Amino acid sequence: EVILDGARVWPPEDGRFPASVIRSPAPAADAVRVSFGSCRWAAPAHGEPDPVGPDALDTLAAALAADPAAVRPDVLLLLGDQVYADETSQA
């Protein structure tokens, strides 16, 4: 949770995703599951057309939100520009 000036601001009460969780691999893990992302497209505001569609991280987040017991990556590796700020939504 994020508390700001005594009020909870994250996760939002009406959010579609569960609360954030920080997990670490088991100390004896002999394998590490890595999710890789690069050059994310900034999704348009709700109701605007999306010429690209959901990116890999949006898809991963939706899948994990739909099944909180699903196997999660141990590490998220983000390389490159994560949001193209020169191509933003109208909002």
Side-chain angles (χ1 to χ4, degrees):
E1 290 182 321
V2 176
I3 308 294
L4 183 62
D5 294 331
R8 186 177 109 173
V9 296
W10 185 261
E13 294 294 333
D14 60 348
R16 64 183 183 131
F17 295 113
S20 300
V21 176
I22 297 174
R23 296 184 177 142
S24 59
D30 58 352
V32 176
R33 184 174 292 107
V34 178
S35 288
F36 168 78
S38 178
C39 301
R40 295 195 67 208
W41 171 266
H46 182 71
E48 290 186 31
D50 189 346
V52 178
D55 67 19
L57 294 178
D58 287 332
T59 303
L60 175 62
L64 294 176
D67 182 6
V71 176
R72 297 171 179 267
D74 297 308
V75 176
L76 178 60
L77 177 63
L78 301 174
L79 300 175
D81 296 335
Q82 297 309 309
V83 174
Y84 289 122
D86 57 335
E87 295 188 29
T88 59
S89 68
Q90 291 299 317

